[in-house]
Amino acid sequence: MRVAIIGAGVIGLSSALCIHEQFHGLVPSLELEVYADHFTPHTTSDGAAGLWQPYLSDHGNLQETLWNKETFDYLLGHLHSSAAKEMGLFLLSGYNLFTEPVPDPSWKNIVLGFRNLTPKELELFPGYSYGWFNTALMLEGRSYLPWLTNRLTERGVKFFHKKVETFQELFAQGVDVVLNCSGMRAGDLQPDPELQPGRGQIIKVLAPWVKHFIITHDLKSGIYKSPYIIPGSEFTVLGGIYQHGNWSEENSAEDHKSIWDSCCRLLPPLQKAKIVGEWSGLRPARPSVRLERESVRLGNLQAEVIHNYGHGGFGITIHWGCARAAARLFGSILQEKKQLARPPGPRL
Amino acid sequence: MASPKVAVVGAGVIGLSTALCITETCPSCSVTVLSDQFSPNTTSDVAAGMLLPHTYPDTPIHRQKQWFRETFTYLFAISNSAEASEAGIHLVSGWQVFKSTPKEELPFWSDIVLGFRPMSEAELQKFPQHQFGQAFTTLKCDCPPYLLWLEKRLKATGTQMYTRKVADLWELHGEYDIVVNCAGMGAHQLVGDKQLFPVRGQVLKAHAPWVKHFIRDGDGLTYIYPGIHSVTLGGTREKGSWSLSPDPGTTRDIFDRCCSLEPSLQGAQDIEVKVGLRPSRQCVRVQREVLSQGGVKLPVVHNYGHGAGGFSVHRGTANEAAHLVGECISALQGSSSKAKL
């Protein structure tokens, strides 16, 4: 049973690991192969700061809230393991700031210690009159992806540095199931007008005195269009750009100025921070995550694709819940194939 | 008295902040800092610099609270300014955890730090050996940066600083009009204060930049304080020990205790060991005294004995000491005008 995973970002690698963990014992012939044109550190997941935090509203998408919770709980369980440092996993507390009161988010009981900000805390952030404090998790892609790669390699999963042009080419090679975790480029494999880039740009600085994330919100503009500061283990990420429909992966000087000025206003000590890098990436945005099976008829064969893409700016936040859901879909495929594999006997 | 000459003995956080307060309250004073040690070799450089008050048994609580409030307010303003990184001042959040619920669930400083509240059940799960905890956000003064920043501010006011071991306060008579004794542990010998005793603290400074929260065991013995470039792991409270030599067995013990609170510390690198003697006293001595010898007088202001709580109250006690210096100046001016009659 050959399974090909297209995409080696956080979604592709974690889905592969989840499937291998659950099924390699049950399916002795299981062979997993990862195909990608970009591997760590050149994937979208590597550029993300790595903070676990869903969007403010789930828009009634309870399924996604459950997947977010599953991911948080899974990561929290690994916090004290010896793998945590290698995974790039650690606790991080911080502030979400608003210019007016807002309803509590769907994830208030998922994170730790969620509470409103006190008046004294708000003094730190002139211009913001309301906010939250909570403890969440950081999962840095630059560490997590190599860790996933190592776990997969240990399990005999093979990696191919190749841009897959069509699902068909994999099936023609004898692959039985394809896991489509191609993120932003899913449209190249199968047109999906709902998938659009949510372009982001970030500045990396050295500011080791910053121990909290600070995320501001402008409800009129939308998510990620307001400055944010996220301290990692090696550098701090400054951001606040979300451009829907912009495919450019070039750093923009105008965006740089916007990020720098707004973040320094938000946290004046940043004026002394040393800039060590800049990056632009495309959030694979979609009204909802596409996580579903698709049967593809190829001659007299039925081939299966499991789609798992469109995680926007919350891929890391939701990845494990989605990986497990993808694994369940894979399990149902296996069940059906077993039934199909039983030869039709004579009707007595 | 046109330009009173004030000598401040000691260049730790107390000496430097007191000298700075004096330049602020008495701009006409000429202030000189004298110390056998300067940063990075002071007791303050070993300390983590956390704003987490120590309770002095014989100082009234309202006075301790006032000192802490003044210090917190002063540093809070700097922490949110462009000078924060140079001054080494930053906010840090975390948890104080207790193996059994303490008698006093609300310490006197709980309304001064930010966001103080009991920990939730979910948060306590991270600490299986602990039953109760408090979560809050406070400030940290990293040393050497904070001391170097104080030195820079002092130099800008024209304050001179000299490396000099003062063996006796009377040495300074004639050269200076008022002496401010911020000698910390040195006051034991300098003024013969037998109520001052060392509480030896050994700490480790480790590179573990993924640790973003402080964790302190309520017993005060085990703590993890993340600073700008290193995490301070502690510690010990050895009353009466004068030894400044690191003890390897203690190092191992501190590391193990901290790893049991924060397992990821197993991956910490570049571990350095340091020792400091907390200049401890039942109450902080912030007091005026006029020394007298053979008809000659020497006004002295004492500001020492801060023990484990130096950083937490430094600005408050510095303000008080500066105020006492002001009183000394008034007294000198009063007596000099009397002498003219």
Side-chain angles (χ1 to χ4, degrees):
Chain A
M1 156 72 62
R2 279 180 65 194
V3 179
I5 295 101
I6 307 175
V10 67
I11 301 299
L13 297 184
S14 60
S15 300
L17 184 62
C18 199
I19 286 173
H20 198 273
E21 279 178 351
Q22 286 189 27
F23 295 104
H24 85 282
L26 299 170
V27 185
S29 68
L30 186 65
E31 277 176 35
L32 259 51
E33 304 154 19
V34 175
Y35 294 82
D37 54 2
H38 291 112
F39 285 89
T40 182
H42 306 294
T43 70
T44 308
S45 308
D46 289 287
L51 178 67
W52 186 101
Q53 184 166 301
Y55 290 177
L56 293 185
S57 167
D58 59 12
H59 299 294
N61 215 320
L62 287 175
Q63 184 64 265
E64 290 183 7
T65 301
L66 287 171
W67 288 336
N68 290 333
K69 177 176 163 57
E70 215 175 331
T71 306
F72 191 89
D73 292 345
Y74 166 75
L75 293 174
L76 198 62
H78 276 75
L79 200 58
H80 282 192
S81 76
S82 49
K85 185 193 170 193
E86 209 192 322
M87 285 166 80
L89 176 65
F90 54 93
L91 284 175
L92 187 67
S93 296
Y95 307 90
N96 275 281
L97 303 172
F98 305 88
T99 53
E100 59 190 303
V102 293
D104 290 344
S106 60
W107 41 270
K108 70 179 269 204
N109 293 320
I110 301 174
V111 295
L112 301 173
F114 182 93
R115 62 172 174 83
N116 285 349
L117 292 180
T118 64
K120 206 154 135 201
E121 288 175 306
L122 285 165
E123 277 175 40
L124 284 165
F125 310 110
Y128 295 95
S129 57
Y130 189 84
W132 308 323
F133 185 93
N134 66 266
T135 302
L137 290 162
M138 280 283 278
L139 185 62
E140 297 183 312
R142 282 177 346 273
S143 298
Y144 190 47
L145 263 50
W147 182 82
L148 285 169
T149 306
N150 288 340
R151 301 290 75 72
L152 290 167
T153 306
E154 278 167 7
R155 287 162 171 274
V157 173
K158 297 197 172 41
F159 292 84
F160 299 93
H161 196 158
K162 179 183 189 319
K163 185 175 163 90
V164 173
E165 305 288 350
T166 63
F167 298 131
Q168 276 65 19
E169 73 182 70
L170 291 173
F171 293 128
Q173 282 177 43
V175 167
D176 299 292
V177 179
V178 167
L179 226 73
N180 177 20
C181 306
S182 50
M184 197 65 251
R185 254 72 54 64
D188 293 353
L189 288 162
Q190 188 185 88
D192 182 353
E194 291 194 293
L195 180 70
Q196 292 288 321
R199 181 183 176 280
Q201 183 167 323
I202 53 136
I203 304 175
K204 298 182 199 172
V205 302
L206 291 180
W209 61 88
V210 178
K211 306 291 183 190
H212 300 91
F213 62 78
I214 305 173
I215 302 172
T216 66
H217 300 268
D218 181 345
L219 301 176
K220 285 185 225 70
S221 309
I223 193 87
Y224 300 132
K225 289 189 182 158
S226 198
Y228 61 81
I229 298 163
I230 302 174
S233 62
E234 285 170 58
F235 51 78
T236 297
V237 169
L238 310 183
I241 300 291
Y242 189 103
Q243 294 151 352
H244 198 79
N246 186 349
W247 284 90
S248 170
E249 287 177 86
E250 300 287 311
N251 292 322
S252 136
E254 196 186 321
D255 290 340
H256 172 99
K257 184 165 170 20
S258 164
I259 297 165
W260 182 256
D261 290 349
S262 61
C263 286
C264 284
R265 224 175 304 130
L266 178 60
L267 193 65
L270 282 177
Q271 291 165 52
K272 299 284 169 72
K274 182 178 169 199
I275 296 176
V276 292
E278 194 134 7
W279 179 81
S280 298
L282 308 177
R283 299 176 185 89
R286 209 172 177 276
S288 62
V289 174
R290 186 177 184 198
L291 184 38
E292 62 187 3
R293 269 174 67 179
E294 187 183 358
S295 297
V296 175
R297 270 245 110 75
L298 291 169
N300 57 353
L301 281 172
Q302 188 168 290
E304 297 292 330
V305 177
I306 299 173
H307 297 285
N308 186 5
Y309 68 85
H311 305 80
F314 50 91
I316 283 159
T317 298
I318 204 172
H319 81 278
W320 193 250
C322 289
R324 284 176 58 89
R328 282 192 291 278
L329 291 175
F330 181 70
S332 63
I333 292 172
L334 281 181
Q335 293 217 331
E336 289 165 21
K337 281 198 189 295
K338 268 198 219 128
Q339 289 178 350
L340 288 168
R342 215 183 297 136
R347 289 211 180 101
L348 294 173
Chain B
M1 186 154 282
S3 181
K5 296 201 281 295
V6 182
V8 175
V9 180
V13 67
I14 301 302
L16 297 181
S17 58
T18 302
L20 193 61
C21 277
I22 295 168
T23 66
E24 289 166 12
T25 57
C26 176
S28 63
C29 282
S30 154
V31 181
T32 306
V33 175
L34 306 169
S35 181
D36 59 356
Q37 302 292 352
F38 281 81
S39 180
N41 298 316
T42 69
T43 306
S44 302
D45 290 288
V46 180
M50 286 288 288
L51 256 66
L52 246 172
H54 167 81
T55 303
Y56 304 101
D58 291 353
T59 303
I61 292 291
H62 75 267
R63 200 170 168 214
Q64 297 187 47
K65 189 165 178 176
Q66 182 58 22
W67 287 339
F68 182 58
R69 186 185 290 115
E70 279 177 33
T71 308
F72 197 92
T73 304
Y74 172 71
L75 295 173
F76 187 70
I78 302 169
S79 76
N80 209 31
S81 76
E83 296 202 64
S85 57
E86 194 195 338
I89 299 171
H90 58 97
L91 284 174
V92 61
S93 296
W95 309 282
Q96 177 165 241
V97 291
F98 298 82
K99 291 200 168 99
S100 52
T101 308
K103 267 180 268 133
E104 193 193 56
E105 284 189 28
L106 269 188
F108 74 81
W109 42 267
S110 63
D111 59 343
I112 299 173
V113 297
L114 304 176
F116 184 97
R117 59 173 175 83
M119 284 166 73
S120 63
E121 281 304 314
E123 288 175 300
L124 278 165
Q125 294 212 6
K126 186 174 146 54
F127 306 103
Q129 291 164 359
H130 296 76
Q131 307 276 346
F132 177 82
Q134 300 151 338
F136 54 94
T137 302
T138 188
L139 290 159
K140 186 178 188 296
C141 299
D142 275 36
C143 284
Y146 186 57
L147 297 187
L148 295 176
W149 180 79
L150 287 172
E151 286 179 24
K152 186 174 166 185
R153 299 271 310 264
L154 282 167
K155 282 185 190 138
T157 67
T159 301
Q160 302 285 315
M161 289 181 268
Y162 300 109
T163 302
R164 173 174 167 177
K165 175 139 178 100
V166 176
D168 187 326
L169 293 183
W170 280 105
E171 278 174 40
L172 305 173
H173 178 264
E175 265 181 275
Y176 301 96
D177 303 306
I178 298 164
V179 174
V180 186
N181 170 20
C182 303
M185 205 58 243
H188 188 271
Q189 189 140 56
L190 189 58
V191 298
D193 185 346
K194 299 289 180 276
Q195 288 176 56
L196 184 68
F197 57 94
V199 174
R200 180 184 182 280
Q202 184 163 321
V203 294
L204 313 181
K205 306 236 175 187
H207 182 70
W210 62 88
V211 176
K212 308 284 188 191
H213 298 86
F214 71 80
I215 305 171
R216 180 183 199 265
D217 191 309
D219 68 10
L221 283 175
T222 308
Y223 50 82
I224 296 161
Y225 296 141
I228 295 176
H229 297 294
S230 67
V231 183
T232 300
L233 309 180
T236 65
R237 288 177 195 272
E238 300 155 276
K239 191 172 163 179
S241 167
W242 287 87
S243 168
L244 283 168
S245 311
D247 178 83
T250 301
T251 296
R252 183 79 245 164
D253 179 56
I254 292 171
F255 189 73
D256 288 346
R257 282 188 276 123
C258 287
C259 286
S260 75
L261 278 183
E262 178 53 70
S264 71
L265 284 171
Q266 292 285 352
Q269 305 276 319
D270 305 330
I271 298 175
E272 270 183 67
V273 191
K274 298 207 168 193
V275 179
L277 307 178
R278 299 176 184 84
S280 309
R281 217 169 173 276
Q282 293 290 95
C283 60
V284 182
R285 190 178 184 199
V286 190
Q287 195 177 50
R288 258 179 81 187
E289 191 183 3
V290 181
L291 301 183
S292 194
Q293 191 176 280
V296 186
K297 294 196 197 300
L298 179 63
V300 175
V301 172
H302 298 286
N303 187 9
Y304 68 88
H306 301 72
F311 278 88
S312 299
V313 298
H314 76 274
R315 179 76 182 181
T317 57
N319 281 337
E320 207 175 297
H323 180 77
L324 292 175
V325 168
E327 284 182 12
C328 291
I329 293 170
S330 302
L332 284 172
Q333 286 169 337
S335 62
S336 73
S337 54
K338 277 198 199 109
K340 279 175 183 148
L341 293 171

